[in-house]
Amino acid sequence: SRIEVPTLVAPSRLVLHFLSHRRRPTQLPVTLYPLTSMLTVATVRPVVVRPVSMRARSGKAISVSARVSNRNARRVVRVRASVDEMDAAMSTPVNPVSAADGYATLTNSLGAIRALPPSERAEAAESATKSVSQTLNGMKASGATSRWDCYPELQRRNIFPNELAQMGIKDASSIGRPSDTNDFNFIVAVTLSTSFLALIVGATLPGDWGAFGSYLIGGSSLAVLAVGSTAPGLLKVAIDRFARISPAYRQRIAKHEAAHFLVGYMLGAPVAGYSLGLGTAHVDFLEAKLERKVYGKIAIKEETMLPLACISMAGVAAEAMAFDEVQGQEADLRDLQRILNKCEPKLGDQALQQVTKWAVWQAAGMLKRHERAFDALTEKMSEGATVAECLQAIENAPEPSA
C-alpha cells in the first residue's frame, strides 16, 4: 500500500550535540550489543491511510511512502521531505544565491554566533537557523552547492555483517564493544614513569630523604589507580591529553567529528560550529528547538528518527572504516539510545539493534561515496578552519564517480 502523509519534524531541522568524551563501559545502554549478531524482524501488518499532500517551505511536495512486504517481513520507509505542523502552511520561495554571496552570509551569521559567550549561543543558533537554511537552499538552487541536503530519501532495511564489510567497516564486532585502550595506556605510562622516577630519587638522595622520596613517588601510581576506580571522570582530561600525544589519535578525533559534520550537512542539518579541543570535541547543529523535542518528552516519528540516527552513528562509522577499534562511540551510542527511546511506535530490542546497524551502514555508505569531500573536510577541521571554509572544502571536492 502507498501512504502519503505529512510528518512532524523536518530532517533538515535537526539538532544534535555530539561529545566525543570518554564514559565508563558499565554505563553503555543495555539494549545495544556488538552488531555481528544475526537478528530477525517481526512482520509488519499493512496500514491503509488516505493520501494527503502538502507543501514545504522550499516549495517541494511532501510525501512519505511506505511499502510493507509480508513475504520478506521488511519495512522500507522513504522520506522525501517533512515539516513541523506549525510550519506546514508557511511556504517560502527559494531565491538563488551565488557562491560568493552565500559564503559571505554564512561567514557573518556563524561568526557572530561563535563570538558570543557559550551561554548565549544556543538562542542565537536557533534564531539563525532559518536564514542559514535559506542561504544554503538558495546556493543549491543556483548550483553553488551540490552536497547540501543531497539525500532527500532514506530507506531502512535489515543489514547483515557482510554488508558492513562491503562498506569498508574493518571489524563490525568492535561497534558496541567498549574500548579501554586509552585508559590502559595511561595507567601503564603512569606506573612505569613513577617507578623509574622513584628509583632515581632513591639512588641519588642521601639517607632517609631518598627512602621517603621513593615511597612518595611510587605511591602516586596507586593514588591514580584509586581515583580511576572510584571517580573515573576525574581522569578523563588527563587520559585525553595523554592520548593526544599520538598523531593517530588526533587524526581519529578529526575523522570522527568530520563524519558528524559531513553526514549532517548532506542530510540537511545546518552546522553551527565544531570543536576538536581537549575534552570538548563535538559538532553543533543549528535549530535548538528540535533539540528540546528530542531530549524532552515529545515523541518523534520514524521518519524523523532515521536521519538523526545516521548523524549520531556517523562518527562511529568513520572510525570503524579507518581503524580496527572504535574508541569514541560511547557518547554516540547514548545519543542514539536517547533518540530511539523517543521514537513512536516503540522499537523492540531486535529492532533497536537493526536500526543501529542500518545507521552505521548508511553513514558509512555516504562517507565512502563522498570520500574526497570527507578527506578535505577532515583536513580543514584539523587546521581549525571556520564553518564556511569547511563548507567550501566540501563543495570544492571532486564529485563522486557514478
mmCIF file of all heavy atoms in Angstrom, residues 184-212:
data_model
loop_
_atom_site.group_PDB
_atom_site.id
_atom_site.type_symbol
_atom_site.label_atom_id
_atom_site.label_comp_id
_atom_site.label_asym_id
_atom_site.label_seq_id
_atom_site.Cartn_x
_atom_site.Cartn_y
_atom_site.Cartn_z
ATOM 1 N N PHE A 184 44.150 2.024 29.537
ATOM 2 C CA PHE A 184 45.244 1.096 29.808
ATOM 3 C C PHE A 184 46.595 1.747 29.526
ATOM 4 O O PHE A 184 47.531 1.642 30.334
ATOM 5 C CB PHE A 184 45.066 -0.165 28.962
ATOM 6 C CG PHE A 184 46.187 -1.153 29.097
ATOM 7 C CD1 PHE A 184 46.269 -1.982 30.205
ATOM 8 C CD2 PHE A 184 47.165 -1.249 28.124
ATOM 9 C CE1 PHE A 184 47.309 -2.895 30.338
ATOM 10 C CE2 PHE A 184 48.205 -2.147 28.238
ATOM 11 C CZ PHE A 184 48.282 -2.982 29.356
ATOM 12 N N ASN A 185 46.701 2.434 28.394
ATOM 13 C CA ASN A 185 47.971 3.087 28.054
ATOM 14 C C ASN A 185 48.345 4.153 29.081
ATOM 15 O O ASN A 185 49.519 4.307 29.437
ATOM 16 C CB ASN A 185 47.876 3.719 26.665
ATOM 17 C CG ASN A 185 47.774 2.675 25.559
ATOM 18 O OD1 ASN A 185 48.144 1.513 25.756
ATOM 19 N ND2 ASN A 185 47.262 3.085 24.412
ATOM 20 N N PHE A 186 47.355 4.874 29.575
ATOM 21 C CA PHE A 186 47.627 5.910 30.566
ATOM 22 C C PHE A 186 48.122 5.301 31.880
ATOM 23 O O PHE A 186 49.098 5.780 32.475
ATOM 24 C CB PHE A 186 46.355 6.732 30.811
ATOM 25 C CG PHE A 186 46.491 7.776 31.866
ATOM 26 C CD1 PHE A 186 47.178 8.951 31.622
ATOM 27 C CD2 PHE A 186 45.929 7.586 33.122
ATOM 28 C CE1 PHE A 186 47.315 9.920 32.603
ATOM 29 C CE2 PHE A 186 46.054 8.553 34.103
ATOM 30 C CZ PHE A 186 46.749 9.718 33.838
ATOM 31 N N ILE A 187 47.467 4.242 32.349
ATOM 32 C CA ILE A 187 47.863 3.607 33.606
ATOM 33 C C ILE A 187 49.270 3.016 33.484
ATOM 34 O O ILE A 187 50.104 3.145 34.403
ATOM 35 C CB ILE A 187 46.855 2.518 34.001
ATOM 36 C CG1 ILE A 187 45.498 3.147 34.333
ATOM 37 C CG2 ILE A 187 47.378 1.710 35.184
ATOM 38 C CD1 ILE A 187 45.533 4.111 35.485
ATOM 39 N N VAL A 188 49.560 2.374 32.371
ATOM 40 C CA VAL A 188 50.898 1.806 32.166
ATOM 41 C C VAL A 188 51.954 2.904 32.159
ATOM 42 O O VAL A 188 53.024 2.767 32.782
ATOM 43 C CB VAL A 188 50.938 0.997 30.864
ATOM 44 C CG1 VAL A 188 52.381 0.620 30.503
ATOM 45 C CG2 VAL A 188 50.086 -0.250 30.980
ATOM 46 N N ALA A 189 51.679 4.007 31.470
ATOM 47 C CA ALA A 189 52.640 5.101 31.408
ATOM 48 C C ALA A 189 52.885 5.702 32.796
ATOM 49 O O ALA A 189 54.035 6.002 33.158
ATOM 50 C CB ALA A 189 52.149 6.173 30.440
ATOM 51 N N VAL A 190 51.803 5.898 33.565
ATOM 52 C CA VAL A 190 51.962 6.456 34.917
ATOM 53 C C VAL A 190 52.769 5.515 35.806
ATOM 54 O O VAL A 190 53.673 5.940 36.540
ATOM 55 C CB VAL A 190 50.573 6.733 35.536
ATOM 56 C CG1 VAL A 190 50.698 7.066 37.015
ATOM 57 C CG2 VAL A 190 49.888 7.882 34.808
ATOM 58 N N THR A 191 52.461 4.234 35.745
ATOM 59 C CA THR A 191 53.154 3.268 36.602
ATOM 60 C C THR A 191 54.643 3.180 36.260
ATOM 61 O O THR A 191 55.503 3.214 37.154
ATOM 62 C CB THR A 191 52.502 1.881 36.455
ATOM 63 O OG1 THR A 191 51.115 1.966 36.789
ATOM 64 C CG2 THR A 191 53.185 0.874 37.362
ATOM 65 N N LEU A 192 54.966 3.087 34.992
ATOM 66 C CA LEU A 192 56.373 2.965 34.589
ATOM 67 C C LEU A 192 57.148 4.238 34.888
ATOM 68 O O LEU A 192 58.297 4.177 35.377
ATOM 69 C CB LEU A 192 56.458 2.632 33.097
ATOM 70 C CG LEU A 192 55.943 1.251 32.680
ATOM 71 C CD1 LEU A 192 56.060 1.083 31.171
ATOM 72 C CD2 LEU A 192 56.694 0.150 33.397
ATOM 73 N N SER A 193 56.535 5.398 34.598
ATOM 74 C CA SER A 193 57.264 6.649 34.822
ATOM 75 C C SER A 193 57.498 6.911 36.307
ATOM 76 O O SER A 193 58.598 7.333 36.710
ATOM 77 C CB SER A 193 56.487 7.814 34.200
ATOM 78 O OG SER A 193 55.195 7.925 34.774
ATOM 79 N N THR A 194 56.494 6.659 37.148
ATOM 80 C CA THR A 194 56.678 6.892 38.589
ATOM 81 C C THR A 194 57.658 5.888 39.190
ATOM 82 O O THR A 194 58.444 6.236 40.084
ATOM 83 C CB THR A 194 55.334 6.805 39.316
ATOM 84 O OG1 THR A 194 54.696 5.557 39.009
ATOM 85 C CG2 THR A 194 54.414 7.943 38.903
ATOM 86 N N SER A 195 57.633 4.658 38.722
ATOM 87 C CA SER A 195 58.583 3.664 39.224
ATOM 88 C C SER A 195 60.014 4.031 38.862
ATOM 89 O O SER A 195 60.936 3.930 39.695
ATOM 90 C CB SER A 195 58.245 2.283 38.659
ATOM 91 O OG SER A 195 56.949 1.881 39.044
ATOM 92 N N PHE A 196 60.218 4.474 37.644
ATOM 93 C CA PHE A 196 61.556 4.863 37.214
ATOM 94 C C PHE A 196 62.035 6.087 37.979
ATOM 95 O O PHE A 196 63.193 6.166 38.422
ATOM 96 C CB PHE A 196 61.545 5.150 35.714
ATOM 97 C CG PHE A 196 62.879 5.541 35.148
ATOM 98 C CD1 PHE A 196 63.902 4.608 35.017
ATOM 99 C CD2 PHE A 196 63.119 6.854 34.753
ATOM 100 C CE1 PHE A 196 65.130 4.972 34.495
ATOM 101 C CE2 PHE A 196 64.345 7.222 34.232
ATOM 102 C CZ PHE A 196 65.354 6.288 34.101
ATOM 103 N N LEU A 197 61.129 7.069 38.170
ATOM 104 C CA LEU A 197 61.496 8.270 38.909
ATOM 105 C C LEU A 197 61.794 7.945 40.375
ATOM 106 O O LEU A 197 62.736 8.503 40.973
ATOM 107 C CB LEU A 197 60.368 9.300 38.809
ATOM 108 C CG LEU A 197 60.614 10.660 39.473
ATOM 109 C CD1 LEU A 197 61.842 11.329 38.856
ATOM 110 C CD2 LEU A 197 59.393 11.562 39.326
ATOM 111 N N ALA A 198 61.020 7.056 40.980
ATOM 112 C CA ALA A 198 61.269 6.664 42.370
ATOM 113 C C ALA A 198 62.621 5.976 42.511
ATOM 114 O O ALA A 198 63.338 6.177 43.508
ATOM 115 C CB ALA A 198 60.152 5.745 42.846
ATOM 116 N N LEU A 199 62.997 5.186 41.535
ATOM 117 C CA LEU A 199 64.295 4.510 41.563
ATOM 118 C C LEU A 199 65.434 5.526 41.511
ATOM 119 O O LEU A 199 66.432 5.401 42.237
ATOM 120 C CB LEU A 199 64.389 3.532 40.397
ATOM 121 C CG LEU A 199 65.688 2.724 40.277
ATOM 122 C CD1 LEU A 199 65.860 1.836 41.516
ATOM 123 C CD2 LEU A 199 65.685 1.891 39.009
ATOM 124 N N ILE A 200 65.282 6.546 40.675
ATOM 125 C CA ILE A 200 66.326 7.564 40.560
ATOM 126 C C ILE A 200 66.439 8.362 41.856
ATOM 127 O O ILE A 200 67.545 8.637 42.354
ATOM 128 C CB ILE A 200 66.018 8.499 39.372
ATOM 129 C CG1 ILE A 200 66.118 7.730 38.055
ATOM 130 C CG2 ILE A 200 66.962 9.691 39.367
ATOM 131 C CD1 ILE A 200 65.773 8.543 36.842
ATOM 132 N N VAL A 201 65.281 8.754 42.428
ATOM 133 C CA VAL A 201 65.302 9.532 43.672
ATOM 134 C C VAL A 201 65.939 8.728 44.794
ATOM 135 O O VAL A 201 66.746 9.237 45.591
ATOM 136 C CB VAL A 201 63.869 9.966 44.043
ATOM 137 C CG1 VAL A 201 63.840 10.548 45.457
ATOM 138 C CG2 VAL A 201 63.345 10.984 43.042
ATOM 139 N N GLY A 202 65.610 7.446 44.893
ATOM 140 C CA GLY A 202 66.180 6.620 45.953
ATOM 141 C C GLY A 202 67.666 6.428 45.818
ATOM 142 O O GLY A 202 68.378 6.264 46.825
ATOM 143 N N ALA A 203 68.151 6.470 44.584
ATOM 144 C CA ALA A 203 69.578 6.252 44.375
ATOM 145 C C ALA A 203 70.396 7.529 44.500
ATOM 146 O O ALA A 203 71.611 7.464 44.731
ATOM 147 C CB ALA A 203 69.801 5.633 42.990
ATOM 148 N N THR A 204 69.773 8.680 44.354
ATOM 149 C CA THR A 204 70.531 9.934 44.349
ATOM 150 C C THR A 204 70.423 10.702 45.662
ATOM 151 O O THR A 204 71.404 11.320 46.092
ATOM 152 C CB THR A 204 70.049 10.833 43.199
ATOM 153 O OG1 THR A 204 68.634 11.036 43.320
ATOM 154 C CG2 THR A 204 70.364 10.194 41.853
ATOM 155 N N LEU A 205 69.266 10.695 46.299
ATOM 156 C CA LEU A 205 69.121 11.452 47.542
ATOM 157 C C LEU A 205 69.718 10.677 48.719
ATOM 158 O O LEU A 205 69.595 9.453 48.790
ATOM 159 C CB LEU A 205 67.650 11.750 47.822
ATOM 160 C CG LEU A 205 66.952 12.713 46.847
ATOM 161 C CD1 LEU A 205 65.511 12.923 47.272
ATOM 162 C CD2 LEU A 205 67.686 14.029 46.746
ATOM 163 N N PRO A 206 70.346 11.375 49.658
ATOM 164 C CA PRO A 206 71.016 10.683 50.774
ATOM 165 C C PRO A 206 70.034 10.277 51.868
ATOM 166 O O PRO A 206 69.020 10.925 52.107
ATOM 167 C CB PRO A 206 71.990 11.743 51.296
ATOM 168 C CG PRO A 206 71.340 13.045 50.961
ATOM 169 C CD PRO A 206 70.587 12.834 49.662
ATOM 170 N N GLY A 207 70.338 9.193 52.530
ATOM 171 C CA GLY A 207 69.657 8.766 53.751
ATOM 172 C C GLY A 207 68.159 8.606 53.620
ATOM 173 O O GLY A 207 67.641 8.063 52.639
ATOM 174 N N ASP A 208 67.491 9.129 54.665
ATOM 175 C CA ASP A 208 66.029 8.988 54.723
ATOM 176 C C ASP A 208 65.312 9.758 53.631
ATOM 177 O O ASP A 208 64.179 9.424 53.265
ATOM 178 C CB ASP A 208 65.518 9.453 56.082
ATOM 179 C CG ASP A 208 65.980 8.537 57.195
ATOM 180 O OD1 ASP A 208 66.351 7.383 56.891
ATOM 181 O OD2 ASP A 208 65.988 8.984 58.357
ATOM 182 N N TRP A 209 65.951 10.832 53.125
ATOM 183 C CA TRP A 209 65.314 11.600 52.052
ATOM 184 C C TRP A 209 65.082 10.720 50.817
ATOM 185 O O TRP A 209 64.046 10.818 50.160
ATOM 186 C CB TRP A 209 66.158 12.813 51.694
ATOM 187 C CG TRP A 209 66.125 13.874 52.720
ATOM 188 C CD1 TRP A 209 67.087 14.193 53.619
ATOM 189 C CD2 TRP A 209 65.044 14.777 52.956
ATOM 190 N NE1 TRP A 209 66.699 15.236 54.421
ATOM 191 C CE2 TRP A 209 65.434 15.620 54.033
ATOM 192 C CE3 TRP A 209 63.784 14.963 52.403
ATOM 193 C CZ2 TRP A 209 64.620 16.618 54.530
ATOM 194 C CZ3 TRP A 209 62.968 15.971 52.888
ATOM 195 C CH2 TRP A 209 63.378 16.779 53.943
ATOM 196 N N GLY A 210 66.058 9.902 50.500
ATOM 197 C CA GLY A 210 65.903 9.018 49.350
ATOM 198 C C GLY A 210 64.787 8.006 49.548
ATOM 199 O O GLY A 210 63.982 7.744 48.641
ATOM 200 N N ALA A 211 64.739 7.424 50.746
ATOM 201 C CA ALA A 211 63.691 6.434 51.020
ATOM 202 C C ALA A 211 62.307 7.077 51.017
ATOM 203 O O ALA A 211 61.345 6.536 50.440
ATOM 204 C CB ALA A 211 63.962 5.761 52.353
ATOM 205 N N PHE A 212 62.189 8.245 51.670
ATOM 206 C CA PHE A 212 60.900 8.936 51.709
ATOM 207 C C PHE A 212 60.448 9.345 50.317
ATOM 208 O O PHE A 212 59.274 9.184 49.944
ATOM 209 C CB PHE A 212 61.013 10.153 52.628
ATOM 210 C CG PHE A 212 59.756 10.984 52.671
ATOM 211 C CD1 PHE A 212 58.651 10.546 53.396
ATOM 212 C CD2 PHE A 212 59.675 12.181 51.983
ATOM 213 C CE1 PHE A 212 57.493 11.301 53.439
ATOM 214 C CE2 PHE A 212 58.526 12.935 52.014
ATOM 215 C CZ PHE A 212 57.422 12.496 52.743
#
